[in-house]
């Protein structure tokens, strides 16, 4: 890689191009001859890159391009002046001054959206060169080159053009909605073409002074709207990129009509035969001409040619719009036997079409009978209309028979189906009344074709044709196909779910038979029915647990007057889905159970519910941990232990219980169950010291009374009151009575009297707990050898093993150890006082126990009201225990 320098047109610009990288740097200088010499002092750098480069693409090295010496100390620091704007597109290395593209790709069309096409797109940066002693402000301009990253786009997806059908060949029509391409130069729109030109069109492209291309549609063949009225194809805009990008839109070419067709008669020759006595107003013929043009270009008017005499025009009336010819006067059979009527059909700007109607007149020597109708019901062009609501025997028309010779008789009768009759009118001769015989029903028959036949005695038969149309009235209410519509839909349905399409029919015609569907007043607002189609939808998601069945009325109303309606009942049943997990009534459960509770006994019941129905609401319980010890009744939720539980082995069990429903997929929930074992007095105290009944202690004879000699230490595995231990001396051997006393709480043995005799003293100590209903106890032998020294240990051991009676001191532990007197039992002078104090203390003790039990029962009842589980207190109030212990100490010290 190497750099080359070039001076452009003495304009003060020095170009530095780094070969093999595609990058050029433009430097400004004041003297063209010193471009290279002043390269290191240039303050403006210009780089050129293409838009859309990926992150981390190298743009240029500012420090290198400024020819800075990077060996100086302190080193150079490069910094962007406007970091928020600049760092959006580029990253600057603060130590080397190298510029790279950032994470945001540079889009030239977005960055320079306001620039004109001839202007370049420049990203300007201000770079500071620091520290202060090297400070420079460097202007960096990055020229963004365009790439072909945008395809042409038409302003609308469908372009409609109108071309007259008489457009000459090579006629040009501009396509105003030309495509737009944000790219510049050759990357912009270069040409247009048609996907299908139908062999009738081609495209040409013209460029205006501003360089914009406009496509022109050119007609290459003659057009005919009557052959094809429109052409639909795609117009493609193509840019100049490599590869080129395309944009498309639908081009709809509408061929507009011009008056290029003239009326033509379907029949140009029509022959008509009339009797000379034909009644005025008889329909003779109808001419029909056709013009394939549209609108005003296809309007046709009929008229007689000027060759038709005026009196003939008056005799035969021609309707200029419909082309119907009727007899307008009486025919004179003595002057003419036929008439030739020339009729012209004229269109706008056209030569009239010509048709000839020849009317042949048959001269009547003795005229046949004629039947003259006189209509009571509304009539037009020989069609009688009657409402279906008219009652039976409603008159329709009178028929009068005329032109009857004296020697002939005419009989009239009616031919054709229907509830009609023709009967002679009694008041007048040759008068006949046509009437109905029963009410008409439009829904059964809409029209009747009747023939009135007049038959003379001379064999002449005259037939008069009559059409009776029944007018519909709103006499039928809509009818639902189902009066009870039962629908099932799963809950949690998406909004606007289709439920059913209500179908009701009305036999009436036109608007009277059009049915609109409405919801009844009892329908919840979440249901919607389409008034026209009857499609019933639910606007929101349904929840079966909130409501399972909806029952409401729907109405079908016609558009007649008065309106008639029908109702149907819709029952929507919401089917259950497994969308609710089982729920325990408590977040967690705690059960208190006395230890040694029998195996398979019911510890407690876990209540669980599931709001779903059927199998989705079936709940099965299982133990996730501890199933080797516990089991649970799936149906009732009863928790049981397989074996008896011992609190001393484990006092608390925490189980995780899972509730699983029967849905698919199954849902579950988990709760924690804590089983607390309540202590039962099933363990007697264990004496830890002395370790055996054969151990002894040496006590000096001069030991002062009140000295603590030893201590009995015992423990109880139970808890609470069951573990509170009391010590008492129940038997003794040797020494004087009352020589030793034991503390009932601590087990500490103290000397109460001076030891006058040497030898072995033995105390049988009872260690008892406070358990209920019956306390448990253990005993231990405490031996003292009173002497200065132990000179003969075997002798002492023989004394310990010798069986001898021990004097029993059967006194309760709470009385304590009475002060023992001399060997002889002298009456105690204060014995009545002692008995009174003992009785008082016992009364106080039982009072405290009663009050404690009462308070515990009150708390038990309160806790039972608050919780479903039963909690048994494990401790007695500390204050009450202190009172009891204080009383006991007072008694023991008496």
């Amino acid at each position: 890689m190497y750099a080359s320098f070039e001076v452009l047109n003495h304009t003060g610009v020095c170009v530095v191009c780094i070969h093999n990288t595609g990058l050029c740097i433009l430097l400004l200088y004041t003297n063209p001859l010193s471009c290279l010499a002043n390269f290191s002092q240039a303050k403006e750098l210009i780089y050129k890159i293409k838009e859309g480069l990926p992150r981390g693409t190298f743009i240029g090295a500012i420090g290198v391009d400024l020819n800075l010496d990077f060996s100086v100390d302190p080193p150079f620091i490069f910094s962007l002046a406007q970091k928020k704007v600049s760092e959006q597109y580029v990253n600057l290395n603060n130590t080397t001054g190298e510029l790279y593209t950032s994470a945001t790709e540079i889009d030239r069309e977005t960055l320079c959206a306001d620039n004109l096409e001839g202007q370049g797109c420049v990203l300007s940066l201000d770079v500071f060169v620091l520290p202060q002693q090297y400070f420079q402000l460097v202007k960096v301009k990055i020229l963004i080159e365009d790439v072909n990253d945008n395809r042409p786009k038409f302003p609308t997806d469908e372009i409609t053009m109108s071309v007259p059908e008489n457009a000459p060949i090579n006629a040009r029509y501009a396509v105003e909605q030309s495509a737009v391409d944000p790219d510049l130069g050759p990357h912009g729109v270069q040409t247009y073409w048609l996907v299908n030109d139908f062999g009738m069109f081609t495209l040409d492209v013209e460029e205006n002074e501003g360089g914009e291309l406009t496509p022109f549609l050119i007609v290459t063949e003659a057009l005919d709207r009557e052959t094809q009225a429109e052409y639909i194809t795609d117009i493609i805009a193509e840019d100049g990129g490599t590869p080129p990008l395309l944009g498309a839109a639908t081009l709809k070419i509408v061929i507009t009509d011009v008056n290029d067709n003239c009326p033509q008669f379907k029949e140009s020759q029509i022959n008509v035969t009339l009797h000379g006595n034909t009644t005025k107003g008889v329909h003779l013929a109808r001419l029909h001409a056709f013009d394939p043009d549209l609108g005003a270009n296809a309007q046709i008017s009929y008229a007689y040619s000027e060759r038709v005499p005026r009196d003939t025009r008056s005799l035969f009336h021609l309707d200029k719009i419909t082309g119907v010819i009727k007899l307008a006067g009486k025919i004179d059979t003595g002057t003419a036997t036929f008439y030739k009527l020339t009729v012209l059909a004229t269109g706008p700007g056209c030569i009239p079409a010509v048709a000839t109607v020849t009317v042949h007149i048959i001269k009547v020597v003795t005229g046949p009978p004629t039947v003259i109708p006189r209509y009571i019901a509304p009539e037009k062009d020989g069609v009688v209309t009657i409402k279906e609501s008219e009652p039976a025997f409603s008159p329709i028309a009178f028929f009068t028979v005329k032109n009857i010779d004296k020697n002939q008789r005419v009989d009239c009768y009616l031919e054709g189906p229907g509830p009609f009759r023709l009967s002679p009118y009694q008041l007048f001769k040759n008068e006949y009344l046509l009437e109905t015989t029963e009410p008409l029903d439009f829904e059964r028959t809409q029209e009747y074709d009747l023939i009135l036949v007049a038959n003379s005695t001379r064999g002449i038969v005259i037939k008069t044709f009559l059409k009776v149309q029944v007018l519909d009235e709103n006499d039928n209410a809509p009818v639902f196909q189902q009066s009870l519509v039962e629908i099932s839909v799963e809950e949690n349905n998406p909004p606007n779910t289709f439920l059913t399409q209500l179908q009701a029919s009305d036999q009436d015609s036109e608007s009277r038979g059009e049915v609109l569907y409405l919801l009844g007043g009892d329908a919840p607002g979440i249901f919607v029915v389409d008034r026209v189609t009857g499609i019933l939808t639910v606007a929101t998601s349904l929840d079966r647990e909130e409501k399972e069945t909806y029952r409401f009325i729907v109405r079908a109303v016609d558009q007649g007057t008065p309106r008639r309606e029908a109702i149907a009942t819709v029952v929507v049943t919401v089917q259950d889905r497994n969308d609710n997990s089982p729920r325990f009534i408590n977040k967690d459960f705690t059960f208190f159970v006395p230890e040694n509770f029998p195996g398979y006994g019911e510890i407690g019941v876990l209540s669980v519910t599931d709001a779903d129905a059927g199998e989705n609401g079936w709940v099965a319980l299982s133990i996730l941990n501890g199933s080797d010890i516990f089991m649970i009744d799936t149906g009732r939720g009863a928790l049981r232990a397989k074996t008896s539980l011992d609190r001393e082995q484990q006092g608390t069990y925490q189980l995780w219980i899972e509730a699983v429903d029967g849905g698919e997929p199954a849902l579950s929930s988990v709760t924690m169950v804590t089983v607390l074992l309540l202590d039962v007095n099933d363990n007697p105290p264990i004496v830890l010291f002395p370790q055996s009944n054969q151990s002894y202690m040496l006590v000096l004879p001069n030991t002062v009374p009140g000295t603590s000699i030893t201590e009995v230490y015992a423990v109880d595995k139970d808890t609470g009151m069951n573990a509170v231990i009391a010590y008492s001396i129940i038997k003794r051997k040797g020494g004087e009575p009352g020589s030793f006393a034991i503390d009932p709480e601590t087990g500490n043995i103290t000397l109460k009297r001076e030891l006058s005799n040497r030898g072995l003293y033995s105390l049988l100590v009872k260690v008892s707990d406070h358990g209920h209903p019956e306390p448990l106890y253990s005993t231990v032998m405490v031996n003292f050898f009173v002497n200065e020294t132990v000179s003969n240990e075997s002798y002492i051991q023989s004394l310990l093993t010798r069986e001898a009676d021990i004097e029993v001191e059967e006194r309760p532990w709470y009385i304590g150890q009475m002060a023992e007197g001399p060997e002889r039992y002298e009456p105690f002078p204060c014995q009545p006082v002692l008995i009174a104090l003992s009785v008082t203390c016992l009364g106080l003790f039982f009072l405290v126990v009663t009050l404690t039990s009462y308070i515990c029962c009150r708390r038990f009842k309160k806790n039972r009201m608050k919780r479903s589980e039963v909690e048994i207190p494990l401790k007695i109030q500390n204050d009450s225990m202190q009172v009891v212990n204080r009383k006991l100490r007072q008694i023991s010290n008496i």
Side-chain angles (χ1 to χ4, degrees), residues 623-731:
I623 302 175
L624 299 181
N625 64 322
S627 59
D628 54 339
I629 301 176
F630 295 91
M631 61 181 294
I632 192 166
D633 185 350
T634 301
R636 290 185 58 245
L639 181 65
R640 307 175 190 273
K642 297 180 180 179
T643 60
S644 179
L645 302 178
D646 187 3
R647 189 205 61 80
E648 285 70 37
Q649 294 183 0
Q650 183 172 344
T652 303
Y653 295 88
Q654 287 188 338
L655 306 177
W656 292 99
I657 307 298
E658 182 182 32
V660 182
D661 62 23
E664 183 64 35
L667 301 178
S668 63
S669 62
V670 177
T671 187
M672 186 180 74
V673 176
T674 302
V675 179
L676 298 176
L677 297 182
L678 301 177
D679 185 48
V680 175
N681 193 26
D682 57 347
N683 291 281
I686 300 175
V687 179
L688 300 180
F689 185 83
Q691 296 179 354
S692 71
N693 292 332
Q694 303 298 319
S695 61
Y696 67 94
M697 290 186 60
L698 178 65
V699 179
L700 298 177
N702 59 354
T703 302
V704 179
T707 303
S708 175
I709 299 176
T710 187
E711 180 184 16
V712 177
Y713 181 71
V715 295
D716 196 315
K717 293 182 180 180
D718 296 323
T719 60
M721 295 301 296
N722 295 332
V724 176
I725 299 176
Y727 301 89
S728 63
I729 300 175
I730 59 174
K731 294 182 181 180

Side-chain angles (χ1 to χ4, degrees), residues 277-280 330 364 366-374 398-406 408-412 428-432 452-458 460-462 464:
N277 59 351
T278 301
T279 306
K280 177 182 176 182
K330 186 177 180 180
V364 179
T366 302
T370 58
V371 179
I372 300 175
R374 288 173 293 168
F398 269 112
F399 293 92
T400 303
V401 181
K402 292 186 176 183
N403 199 17
I404 302 175
D405 291 342
K406 296 180 180 181
Q408 66 176 344
R409 183 173 57 88
V410 176
D411 295 326
C412 294
F428 300 95
K429 187 179 180 180
N430 297 326
E431 296 282 352
Y432 294 87
L452 181 65
V453 180
N455 191 359
S456 70
T457 54
R458 294 182 180 179
I460 299 175
V461 179
I462 299 174
T464 301

Side-chain angles (χ1 to χ4, degrees), residues 138-361:
V138 182
K139 299 285 186 178
V140 178
K141 293 184 177 179
I142 301 176
L143 301 181
I144 310 301
E145 293 184 341
D146 183 44
V147 298
N148 190 30
D149 58 345
N150 293 280
R151 63 177 64 252
K153 182 176 179 60
F154 287 91
T156 179
D157 293 334
E158 181 175 294
I159 302 172
T160 302
M161 297 183 62
S162 296
V163 178
E165 63 176 329
N166 61 348
I169 296 177
N170 295 326
R172 302 166 66 87
Y173 298 91
V175 181
E176 299 296 340
Q177 294 95 337
S178 57
V180 177
D181 193 327
D183 295 325
L184 298 178
H187 296 156
V189 178
Q190 299 298 315
T191 186
Y192 294 86
W193 44 277
L194 295 176
V195 174
N196 184 5
D197 58 10
F198 301 99
M200 309 293 289
F201 306 97
T202 188
L203 275 184
D204 189 18
V205 181
E206 292 186 2
E207 183 177 359
N208 59 15
E209 296 179 356
E212 296 180 352
L213 299 180
T214 301
F216 281 82
L217 182 69
I218 301 176
V219 180
T220 59
E221 296 291 338
L223 303 175
D224 184 8
R225 188 204 63 80
E226 289 73 29
T227 302
Q228 186 167 348
E230 65 179 15
Y231 299 86
I232 298 177
T233 183
D234 287 338
I235 182 172
I236 306 298
E238 181 179 329
D239 63 17
T242 304
L245 299 179
L246 306 178
T250 300
L251 180 62
K252 184 176 182 180
I253 306 170
V254 179
I255 310 302
T256 58
D257 184 52
V258 296
N259 192 23
D260 57 347
N261 291 281
C262 289
Q264 296 291 329
F265 280 106
K266 290 185 177 180
E267 293 182 87
S268 59
Q269 295 288 336
I270 299 175
N271 295 316
V272 178
T273 301
L274 285 179
H275 290 90
N277 59 351
T278 301
T279 306
K280 177 182 176 182
V282 172
H283 180 102
L284 301 182
R286 179 176 180 179
L287 301 170
H288 184 72
F290 173 74
D291 190 330
D293 291 327
L294 294 177
N297 296 330
Q299 291 182 355
I300 301 173
S301 62
Y302 300 90
Y304 284 123
S305 172
E306 293 296 330
R307 299 177 182 178
V308 179
R310 185 178 300 275
D311 56 351
T312 302
R313 298 182 197 176
S314 301
L315 182 60
F316 301 99
H317 177 265
L318 173 62
D319 190 308
K320 66 178 182 179
I321 297 176
T322 62
V324 174
I325 299 176
K326 292 183 179 181
L327 182 63
K330 186 177 180 180
I331 298 175
D332 186 2
T333 57
T335 58
T337 57
F338 76 95
Y339 294 90
K340 184 177 182 180
L341 307 177
T342 303
V343 181
L344 306 178
T346 306
C350 290
I351 299 174
V354 180
T356 302
V357 179
T358 303
V359 182
H360 299 272
I361 306 299

Side-chain angles (χ1 to χ4, degrees), residues 588-840:
D588 50 49
F589 295 83
T590 301
F591 298 114
F592 294 88
V593 183
E595 63 175 329
N596 304 325
F597 191 71
Y600 297 98
E602 185 177 294
I603 297 175
V605 176
L606 282 73
S607 297
V608 61
T609 60
D610 194 314
D612 292 322
E615 294 184 0
N616 296 332
W618 294 351
V619 180
L621 299 176
S622 61
I623 302 175
L624 299 181
N625 64 322
S627 59
D628 54 339
I629 301 176
F630 295 91
M631 61 181 294
I632 192 166
D633 185 350
T634 301
R636 290 185 58 245
L639 181 65
R640 307 175 190 273
K642 297 180 180 179
T643 60
S644 179
L645 302 178
D646 187 3
R647 189 205 61 80
E648 285 70 37
Q649 294 183 0
Q650 183 172 344
T652 303
Y653 295 88
Q654 287 188 338
L655 306 177
W656 292 99
I657 307 298
E658 182 182 32
V660 182
D661 62 23
E664 183 64 35
L667 301 178
S668 63
S669 62
V670 177
T671 187
M672 186 180 74
V673 176
T674 302
V675 179
L676 298 176
L677 297 182
L678 301 177
D679 185 48
V680 175
N681 193 26
D682 57 347
N683 291 281
I686 300 175
V687 179
L688 300 180
F689 185 83
Q691 296 179 354
S692 71
N693 292 332
Q694 303 298 319
S695 61
Y696 67 94
M697 290 186 60
L698 178 65
V699 179
L700 298 177
N702 59 354
T703 302
V704 179
T707 303
S708 175
I709 299 176
T710 187
E711 180 184 16
V712 177
Y713 181 71
V715 295
D716 196 315
K717 293 182 180 180
D718 296 323
T719 60
M721 295 301 296
N722 295 332
V724 176
I725 299 176
Y727 301 89
S728 63
I729 300 175
I730 59 174
K731 294 182 181 180
R732 67 177 179 78
K733 180 180 180 182
E736 299 176 355
S739 299
F740 301 93
I742 188 168
D743 190 306
E745 294 181 1
T746 63
N748 187 32
I749 298 176
T750 58
L751 181 65
K752 291 298 182 179
R753 293 183 179 182
E754 293 182 359
L755 300 174
S756 58
N757 299 324
R758 290 171 172 76
L760 183 65
Y761 292 75
S762 297
L763 304 177
L764 182 61
V765 177
K766 180 181 179 180
V767 183
S768 176
D769 59 25
H770 286 61
H772 290 282
E774 182 180 354
L776 302 179
Y777 67 91
S778 300
T779 59
V780 65
M781 187 71 74
V782 181
N783 302 302
F784 302 114
F785 184 69
V786 179
N787 200 9
E788 287 78 3
T789 60
V790 178
S791 58
N792 191 349
E793 188 169 352
S794 60
Y795 170 72
I796 298 173
Q797 291 295 331
S798 65
L799 293 177
L800 293 173
T801 56
R802 184 184 308 165
E803 293 184 1
D805 294 334
I806 299 178
E807 185 178 349
V808 179
E809 294 182 0
E810 292 292 349
R811 283 174 290 184
W813 64 270
Y814 48 77
I815 296 179
Q817 300 299 316
M818 303 296 293
E820 297 181 359
E823 283 295 331
R824 62 186 182 276
Y825 296 114
E826 296 179 356
F828 187 60
C830 298
Q831 186 174 2
V833 177
L834 180 61
I835 294 174
L837 290 176
S838 300
V839 172
T840 303

